[in-house]
Amino acid sequence: MKIELEIERLVLRGVPVADREALMAVVRGELERLAADHAARGVVADTSRDVGAIDVGSIPLRPGASLQQTGGHIARAVWRGVMSAHHPPAGGGPERSA
């Protein structure tokens, strides 16, 4: 199974420029772990689907948190957005898009 996720834009306000690449590496690693975990449990459907744009809104971050904690927090918020777009709630609720 192949899961492909493209993040077009991620705004990192308050993150020092020197830390951005390391933070993105943590985000990528956590997203890969989440995708692999869900795929292994069969949570992600074995079908191709373009869910379009997903706006996860602002993600509040804890002051003083490590890059590992911050990156994990961001990745989990993005993953929740992906999963809610991939498995919309019953009742035909509106899709989340930018």
Side-chain angles (χ1 to χ4, degrees), residues 2-93:
K2 178 180 178 182
I3 297 174
E4 192 172 307
L5 175 65
E6 178 181 327
I7 298 176
E8 183 177 310
R9 181 176 57 176
L10 180 62
V11 179
L12 300 172
R13 289 189 187 102
V15 176
V17 173
D19 292 340
R20 289 182 181 178
E21 286 300 317
L23 180 61
M24 286 309 302
V26 172
V27 171
R28 277 190 298 273
E30 181 65 6
L31 284 169
E32 288 171 359
R33 186 195 69 74
L34 289 165
D37 179 56
H38 281 74
R41 291 187 292 127
V43 175
V44 178
D46 192 13
T47 60
S48 177
R49 181 171 178 194
D50 181 357
V51 295
I54 299 169
D55 181 358
V56 297
S58 294
I59 303 168
L61 304 176
R62 289 191 349 245
S66 70
L67 287 178
Q68 194 71 24
Q69 292 168 324
T70 300
H73 188 69
I74 292 169
R76 287 185 295 278
V78 169
W79 188 254
R80 280 191 302 274
V82 168
M83 293 306 293
S84 67
H86 190 73
H87 302 288

